């Protein structure tokens, strides 16, 4: 009988790890996406363009991408839980400063700094789970952690959208800061000390070699590209949805729009369901269906019927998070070496998609409006996955 080498679901420490990393993930993703509903508010309050306002999102993502690389390497040498804790603490501080800032460029700078700090959790949490949780329970732990990602995104968007209308957007950031501060104190006592962490003695140059090793793998490049495309479409739709819904024929208030973010609950269940179905029908088949559902949901947002619009956004979240979780799973199957670096590169590509979807699509939105945005974001993922199938369909055993 194989000896267990980590915590199992029967151990209290297992659930402390799940709760600690999960709650940290909730805050990190709430903080990251908190500004998205506020972009229309920023355009009016600071008299800036939509493209400039979107920098409140893309600057955070650029900082996060840089942080994933730097903090990922550092966590290999200094430990895991320390970076989870520091990430929470340092991410709170910008929320205490931003409400009192009267120049938007300062908000952009603070969001870049915050993005770098936010990276500590995703850079260390999955490695922490894989080291401390027995591999028989690692998939369960990872699925629960990833589900918290979408939960955090939903909470952040809903909170700021709702409170901006009820009180002020500044007040919503103070609430997030308070939540993060309380959570930091909670996490300091909750997370167990690492039992299985071994400090890396590999030189930084060798770590970089591991990163660039994957860029020579055509199959992995296709996976990274799919991460970019999926997130570009998803972020593009959600970034400009408030502008679309606040205009006729909907003319919705920001408070009403904030309730729409509750459809992220479909993303919480999408990953686990997709993982179960892929075990029965195959990863590529289930992912293709998920991407089709994602694109159909985007097309449904062309309607002027509110109920059908809500259905469309439900399908968007269900399809996207299912496809995203399966694409992330395919990385470890395609990578033969340096699997940790491969996962980090996928996260980097994922957040590059966030940056492109929030700022790069601004000229497209300005030129073609909602219908043009919908056409691009619905068609692009389908075309890309067809391209993948044509390139990899004949390669047996490929997870792409």
């Amino acid at each position: 009988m194989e000896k267990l080498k980590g915590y199992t679901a029967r151990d209290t420490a297992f659930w402390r790890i799940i709760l600690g990393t999960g709650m940290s993930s909730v805050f990190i993703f709430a903080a990251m996406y908190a500004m998205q509903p506020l972009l229309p508010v920023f355009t009016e309050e600071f008299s800036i363009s939509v493209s400039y306002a979107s920098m409140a999102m893309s600057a955070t993502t650029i900082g996060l991408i840089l942080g994933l690389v730097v903090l990922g390497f550092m966590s290999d040498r200094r430990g895991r839980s320390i970076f989870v804790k520091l990430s929470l603490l340092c991410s709170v501080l910008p929320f205490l400063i931003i409400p009192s800032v009267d120049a938007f460029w300062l908000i952009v700078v603070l969001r870049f700094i915050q993005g770098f700090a936010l990276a500590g959790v995703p850079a260390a949490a999955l490695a922490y789970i894989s080291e401390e949780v027995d591999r028989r329970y690692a998939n369960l732990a990872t699925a629960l952690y990833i589900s918290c990602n979408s939960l955090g995104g939903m909470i952040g968007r809903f909170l700021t959208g709702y409170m901006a209308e009820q009180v002020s957007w500044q007040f919503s950031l103070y609430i997030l800061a308070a939540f993060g501060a309380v959570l930091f104190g909670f996490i300091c006592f909750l997370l167990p000390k690492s039992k299985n962490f071994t400090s890396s003695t590999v030189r930084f140059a060798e770590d970089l070699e591991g990163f660039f090793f994957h860029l020579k793998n055509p199959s992995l490049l296709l996976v990274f590209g799919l991460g970019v495309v999926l997130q570009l479409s998803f972020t593009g739709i959600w970034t400009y949805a408030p502008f679309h819904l606040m205009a006729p024929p909907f003319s919705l208030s920001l408070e009403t729009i904030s309730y729409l973010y509750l459809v992220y609950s479909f993303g919480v269940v999408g990953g686990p369901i997709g993982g179960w179905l892929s075990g029965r029908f195959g990863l590529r088949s289930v992912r293709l269906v998920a991407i089709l559902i994602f694109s159909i949901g985007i097309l449904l947002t062309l309607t002027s019927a509110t109920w059908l619009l809500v259905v469309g956004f439900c399908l968007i979240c269900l399809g996207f998070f299912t496809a995203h979780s399966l694409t992330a799973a395919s990385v470890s199957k395609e990578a033969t070496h340096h699997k940790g670096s491969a996962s980090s590169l996928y996260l980097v590509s994922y957040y590059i998609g966030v940056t492109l979807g929030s700022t790069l699509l601004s000229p497209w939105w300005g030129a073609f409006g909602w219908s043009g945005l919908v056409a691009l974001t619905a068609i692009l993922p389908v075309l890309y996955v067809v391209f993948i199938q044509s390139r990899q369909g004949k390669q047996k055993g490929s997870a792409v």
Side-chain angles (χ1 to χ4, degrees):
M1 183 176 178
E2 185 180 355
K3 185 179 179 180
L4 299 179
K5 296 182 179 179
Y7 297 116
T8 72
R10 295 186 294 272
D11 299 314
T12 303
F14 173 89
W15 295 106
R16 287 171 62 189
I17 290 173
I18 295 300
L19 183 59
T21 56
M23 289 300 294
S24 299
S25 177
V26 167
F27 174 75
I28 291 305
F29 282 86
M32 181 176 178
Y33 291 106
M35 296 296 190
Q36 200 170 56
L38 301 179
L39 299 186
V41 177
F42 291 152
T43 58
E44 293 186 9
E45 184 163 327
F46 294 96
S47 300
I48 56 177
S49 67
V50 173
S51 179
Y52 189 17
S54 70
M55 288 296 294
M57 281 293 300
S58 55
T60 312
T61 312
I62 293 169
L64 186 103
I65 291 170
L66 180 61
L68 281 171
V69 178
V70 175
L71 300 181
F73 289 158
M74 291 179 66
S75 73
D76 286 339
R77 291 158 173 76
R78 303 295 181 184
R80 311 301 184 187
S81 61
I82 182 64
F83 284 95
V84 174
K85 296 170 186 175
L86 287 176
S87 179
L88 289 171
L89 179 62
C90 296
S91 299
V92 165
L93 299 179
F95 279 146
L96 298 175
I97 303 173
I98 289 175
S100 61
V101 168
D102 56 4
F104 190 75
W105 69 269
L106 283 175
I107 293 180
V108 173
V109 171
L110 288 168
R111 284 289 284 174
F112 173 81
I113 296 171
Q114 187 177 45
F116 187 91
L118 291 173
V121 171
L126 286 177
Y128 179 57
I129 290 172
S130 67
E131 290 167 352
E132 303 304 321
V133 173
D134 185 84
R135 66 185 185 86
R136 302 180 190 184
Y137 296 86
N139 287 341
L140 170 63
T142 302
L144 291 172
Y145 169 78
I146 291 177
S147 294
C148 291
N149 296 355
S150 54
L151 180 62
M154 178 181 73
I155 291 173
R157 291 173 171 98
F158 175 77
L159 175 66
T160 55
Y162 181 83
M163 294 306 299
E165 196 80 14
Q166 291 292 317
V167 186
S168 68
W169 66 267
Q170 292 93 337
F171 184 70
S172 67
L173 300 190
Y174 286 134
I175 293 178
L176 280 173
F179 171 56
V182 171
L183 183 60
F184 168 73
F186 182 63
I187 294 299
C188 284
F189 294 99
L190 184 67
L191 286 180
K193 292 183 178 180
S194 296
K195 294 194 310 178
N196 302 315
F197 171 74
T198 302
S199 179
S200 174
T201 57
V202 175
R203 293 182 298 110
F204 183 74
E206 292 181 59
D207 276 333
L208 286 178
E209 287 178 13
F211 255 68
F212 291 114
F213 170 82
H214 300 301
L215 298 181
K216 301 175 184 177
N217 185 335
S219 294
L220 274 176
L221 288 177
L222 289 174
V223 178
F224 299 151
L226 182 57
V228 173
V229 169
L230 287 173
Q231 187 58 262
L232 183 152
S233 292
F234 185 73
T235 301
I237 284 294
W238 282 106
T239 296
Y240 299 99
F243 294 98
H244 173 60
L245 297 177
M246 292 176 75
F250 298 101
S251 301
L252 301 179
S253 66
L254 193 57
E255 177 187 350
T256 303
I257 294 171
S258 68
Y259 287 103
L260 185 62
Y261 295 113
L262 297 179
V263 303
Y264 264 65
S265 57
F266 284 84
V268 176
V269 300
I273 291 175
W276 177 74
L277 289 175
S278 66
R280 300 190 62 185
F281 302 106
L283 186 149
R284 285 195 295 175
S285 298
V286 177
R287 185 177 60 191
L288 176 59
V289 172
I291 290 173
L292 290 175
I293 291 173
F294 176 45
S295 294
I296 290 170
I298 293 175
L299 292 173
L300 286 179
T301 64
L302 287 171
T303 182
S304 59
T306 304
W307 70 270
L308 193 55
L309 183 96
V310 173
V311 171
F313 277 105
C314 290
L315 293 180
I316 287 172
C317 288
L318 178 63
F320 169 77
F321 282 105
T322 303
H324 162 49
S325 64
L326 294 177
T327 304
S330 70
V331 171
S332 61
K333 294 184 179 182
E334 286 295 324
T336 56
H337 304 285
H338 301 94
K339 290 181 180 286
S341 297
S343 296
S344 295
L345 271 174
Y346 175 72
L347 285 176
V348 168
S349 67
Y350 180 81
Y351 292 115
I352 287 174
V354 175
T355 303
L356 298 178
S358 55
T359 299
L360 187 68
L361 290 183
S362 179
W364 186 273
W365 156 260
F368 303 105
W370 185 254
S371 58
L373 185 71
V374 165
L376 177 66
T377 55
I379 294 172
L380 194 58
V382 176
L383 289 179
Y384 191 87
V385 80
V386 169
F387 171 70
I388 288 179
Q389 299 286 21
S390 66
R391 288 289 303 271
Q392 299 291 341
K394 296 180 181 181
Q395 295 184 11
K396 294 182 179 180
S398 174
V400 181

